[in-house]
Amino acid sequence: MLDRPHDPAWGHPAHQTALDPRELGRVLCVAPHPDDEVLGAGGLLAQLAESGLEPRVWLLTSGEEGFTDRAVANPPVEDRLQESAAAAARLGYAPPIRVPGLRDGAVRYGPALINMLVRALAEHACQTVLLPALTEPHPDHQAVALAGVAAVVQALEAGQAVERILFYEVGAPTVPNAWVDITAVAARKWAAIECFQSQLALQPYLEQAQALARVRAFGHPGCAAAEAF
């Protein structure tokens, strides 16, 4: 790394933009798999719900690849959808909408996915869109991120008032420029993650989410847990 003069506008998390959930308007969160919405933005979604903004979540797959026994011919995908609905109840928003037609591990960037998301933006008349970060390692997440950006461009060209995209992190840290203090709702986020017992059998997602939230609180005095975008 090259030495450089200190610039207070860069290099420290405290100079990220602090988001006020009440100013985000109508929010649509697009999740490739059940649990992505909670791991990536559960604290923000809880705060939106508390503010009466009624965020909506679209699940693009049932997460059928996310089971310990992948040899099962017909995995219990309803279990994952029920886990997502239970998590939503703990966070205070409506059950996610499962959009048919896409399979876990087979989400591809292209006109079909873009058009699906264009319809979602129009249906919910959203001002803020939550998408997986472009830096996510899972190919389904990457496809949704790219298609989401393309869909927002089309929506803007059609005159729809989408004001912002927020990219959330699930499987890998991103390079954020905005953050939300979730200290007040952190316990609810942890409780929501505990709804995903099928996934906790695979990885310690709760501990990982808590660790990332503590990292994202770095540099923000008085903040014990944060989400970054």
Side-chain angles (χ1 to χ4, degrees), residues 6-7 16 41 71 87 114 152 172 186 221:
H6 176 66
D7 181 347
Q16 298 166 8
I114 295 170
V152 169

Side-chain angles (χ1 to χ4, degrees), residues 23 43 60 79 94 100 115 141 166 188 197 199 203 214-215 224:
E23 297 178 354
L60 299 188
D79 290 354
N115 291 337
H141 291 207
L166 296 178
R188 290 168 57 193
Q197 289 299 311
Q199 303 312 292
Q203 286 197 61
R214 287 193 292 270
V215 169

Side-chain angles (χ1 to χ4, degrees), residues 57-118:
V57 175
W58 271 37
L59 298 178
L60 299 188
T61 77
S62 298
E64 53 268 28
E65 292 296 316
F67 292 94
T68 53
D69 186 359
R70 301 200 175 171
V72 175
N74 295 300
V77 294
E78 288 301 320
D79 290 354
R80 290 203 66 181
L81 299 177
Q82 290 170 4
E83 289 172 346
S84 192
R90 292 188 177 183
L91 294 173
Y93 57 88
I97 299 167
R98 166 64 172 106
V99 186
L102 296 175
R103 288 187 55 80
D104 186 358
V107 180
R108 299 290 182 268
Y109 173 81
L113 180 57
I114 295 170
N115 291 337
M116 175 187 293
L117 297 179
V118 168

Side-chain angles (χ1 to χ4, degrees), residues 92-187:
Y93 57 88
I97 299 167
R98 166 64 172 106
V99 186
L102 296 175
R103 288 187 55 80
D104 186 358
V107 180
R108 299 290 182 268
Y109 173 81
L113 180 57
I114 295 170
N115 291 337
M116 175 187 293
L117 297 179
V118 168
R119 291 194 298 272
L121 298 179
E123 179 178 334
H124 296 287
C126 57
Q127 294 157 299
T128 300
V129 184
L130 297 177
L131 298 170
L134 291 159
T135 51
E136 281 289 298
H138 197 299
D140 286 356
H141 291 207
Q142 295 171 4
V144 172
L146 291 169
V149 172
V152 169
V153 170
Q154 290 192 24
L156 292 172
E157 291 174 345
Q160 189 174 331
V162 180
E163 297 178 5
R164 67 188 62 79
I165 299 173
L166 296 178
F167 294 100
Y168 59 84
E169 52 190 3
V170 177
T174 187
V175 180
N177 59 12
W179 71 288
V180 175
D181 184 346
I182 66 164
T183 305
V185 296

